Amino acid sequence: MDRRQFLLAATAAVPALMLGGKVFAAPASSPRFLLVFLRGGYDANNMLVPYSSDFYYESRPTIALARPDAGNPKAVRALDANWGLTPALAASMGPLWDKRQLAFVPFSGTDDLSRSHFETQDNIEAGEAGDARRYSSGFMGRLSGVLRGSPPIAFTDALPLSFRGAGDIPNISLKGGGKAVFDDRQSKILASMYQGTSLQAAATDGLQLRQEVAQDLQTEMVAASRGAVNARGFAQQGQRMATLMRDRFRLGFVDVGGWDTHVNQGGADGQLANNLDQLGQGLASFADGLGEAEWNKTVVVVVSEFGRTFRENGNKGTDHGHGTTYWVLGGKVNGGRVAGQQVAVNAASLLQNRDYPVLNNYRDLLGGLMRRTYGLSDADLATVFPGAKPRDLQLV
């Protein structure tokens, strides 16, 4: 636990957090913004399903979700004439959709065509045009700098690139595991305590096993998550996040890992559906934890570095893609609709004959959203997203 995390934990019961000589206590009337980053590139095509497209069903012979059918609990829920919501989110996000507090923006993303987890994640967090990025500065950090009365927090192991450049920002991990229980130094100390005893071999072997198990978890999917809490952990921490952001903080960032579904992705059931279920539970818990009055002052945006290939692969999964679907939630969100620029979902509309094109650039989309949420000037927006052309999709 570093100094920021220690101070945050130690002051959990007081009305304001003192950190680096600054008091973090948000004015009651100020808006609240939370960015949820799904690391690994989630398959938006099996979340917001283009059920009116025959091409969707041709492209996904084993993982496609069934068209709307009131008698089939595994069918998608029709949101409009073209788009349906996965049944994995029916219980958690369905009520928010019904209250018009949830909108989706398909064909969203960046200009980055590398399809690299790390490059595209950095591209989004830096928030700069093209390939330009300053690793000392992120767009959430710059947003924090132009706002007043909006204390920031990151629900991460370490300060994310998004918040770099904004000074001493508190971060607190939502994870309870995933790393070795003891580091090398601690392991050596513990092993030395049993040296020369009948338990020496057992202790040494046990500590070594712990280290090996932790190292074995470093697969591509774990690496793509960059240490983010998994979806199950996020589901359990929604209330905790709400408690902290309700009284003290107004800008938040959290990342959720486990979305790199190359193999056995599943359809209405399986690993993607389970992750979406847990994600939805966490977001619903966050909204409930804030309470109606505070939820009405809150905007949550869910993003991912990219989407997945439109066609399933030979392993019944999907590979790295380009365009994805963003979520916008909040008590006063102009929801109950699928927003932004769109095209018909067919083979001719695919980018490079493989995935969704990006028609709604994330910098323009977030710039327009932040202008409406905070009343930012052109100069402020140019600081947060240099060179962007903010688009007002009237999401708030």
Side-chain angles (χ1 to χ4, degrees):
M1 180 178 290
D2 62 23
R3 182 174 68 88
R4 291 188 301 267
Q5 292 170 311
F6 176 79
L7 286 175
L8 182 57
T11 57
V14 298
L17 171 64
M18 178 72 75
L19 184 63
K22 298 178 287 185
V23 175
F24 290 113
S29 61
S30 59
R32 184 182 293 101
F33 177 78
L34 174 67
L35 185 75
V36 181
F37 202 128
L38 307 184
R39 295 197 189 274
Y42 90 108
D43 181 33
N45 308 315
N46 266 19
M47 187 283 296
L48 184 68
V49 177
Y51 73 86
S52 66
S53 168
D54 291 337
F55 180 60
Y56 167 77
Y57 292 95
E58 295 167 5
S59 301
R60 299 185 165 213
T62 68
I63 66 172
L65 276 65
R67 287 185 167 97
D69 179 352
N72 182 2
K74 294 187 177 182
V76 302
R77 171 187 170 177
L79 302 181
D80 60 22
N82 297 307
W83 301 101
L85 182 67
T86 172
L89 291 172
S92 59
M93 295 294 99
L96 293 181
W97 178 270
D98 291 338
K99 290 187 284 189
R100 303 183 64 83
Q101 295 179 356
L102 168 63
F104 294 110
V105 188
F107 307 104
S108 294
T110 77
D111 296 331
D112 188 303
L113 279 170
S114 69
R115 297 186 177 88
S116 160
H117 290 296
F118 309 128
E119 180 173 325
T120 316
Q121 287 175 19
D122 289 346
N123 183 290
I124 289 177
E125 292 194 68
E128 300 189 62
D131 294 330
R133 62 181 67 92
R134 294 169 288 176
Y135 289 97
S136 61
S137 174
F139 82 87
M140 292 285 286
R142 298 192 295 273
L143 177 62
S144 176
V146 302
L147 295 178
R148 299 293 180 269
S150 296
I153 185 171
F155 298 99
T156 53
D157 279 356
L159 194 68
L161 172 56
S162 299
F163 264 134
R164 288 184 193 169
D168 201 3
I169 291 177
N171 64 282
I172 180 170
S173 175
L174 298 180
K175 292 196 305 177
K179 295 182 179 180
V181 177
F182 309 114
D183 61 24
D184 288 340
R185 181 185 66 84
Q186 292 168 327
S187 295
K188 289 176 181 177
I189 293 172
L190 287 167
S192 70
M193 294 171 60
Y194 293 94
Q195 189 170 1
T197 74
S198 60
L199 296 176
Q200 178 178 342
T204 300
D205 289 345
L207 290 166
Q208 182 178 350
L209 178 61
R210 283 176 179 266
Q211 299 299 104
E212 290 174 353
V213 168
Q215 290 169 4
D216 287 343
L217 293 176
Q218 303 307 307
T219 62
E220 180 192 355
M221 293 183 185
V222 174
S225 297
R226 282 189 163 177
V229 65
N230 62 25
R232 181 179 296 277
F234 181 74
Q236 296 168 345
Q237 297 295 341
Q239 183 77 39
R240 182 184 183 195
M241 293 168 54
T243 298
L244 286 166
M245 290 200 71
R246 183 178 59 238
D247 298 326
R248 302 187 186 98
F249 302 102
R250 288 299 183 268
L251 287 180
F253 175 97
V254 62
D255 48 11
V256 184
W259 303 94
D260 198 21
T261 52
H262 290 281
V263 179
N264 294 327
Q265 174 178 299
D269 301 304
Q271 60 174 313
L272 176 64
N274 290 339
N275 278 356
L276 288 171
D277 177 32
Q278 299 286 349
L279 174 65
Q281 288 185 43
L283 291 170
S285 177
F286 178 74
D288 290 343
L290 287 175
E292 183 178 359
E294 295 306 315
W295 180 237
N296 285 339
K297 304 173 188 174
T298 301
V299 175
V300 178
V301 176
V302 180
V303 307
S304 192
E305 66 262 36
F306 44 60
R308 314 292 294 185
T309 48
F310 194 78
R311 299 178 180 89
E312 68 176 83
N313 62 28
N315 294 316
K316 300 182 179 180
T318 52
D319 298 319
H320 300 176
H322 189 47
T324 186
T325 296
Y326 290 175
W327 315 13
V328 182
L329 309 80
K332 293 298 184 181
V333 163
N334 181 19
R337 62 195 180 101
V338 179
Q341 185 177 346
Q342 303 170 36
V343 292
V345 178
N346 53 42
S349 69
L350 294 184
L351 173 72
Q352 299 176 352
N353 193 35
R354 60 176 282 161
D355 38 45
Y356 275 174
V358 169
L359 306 177
N360 303 291
N361 181 275
Y362 82 103
R363 293 172 358 103
D364 300 341
L365 188 161
L366 291 179
L369 182 64
M370 289 172 181
R371 185 195 293 276
R372 290 184 68 92
T373 301
Y374 295 105
L376 297 184
S377 66
D378 289 343
D380 287 339
L381 284 170
T383 297
V384 179
F385 291 116
K389 299 177 181 178
R391 288 185 60 199
D392 185 2
L393 299 182
Q394 298 185 340
L395 292 167
V396 293

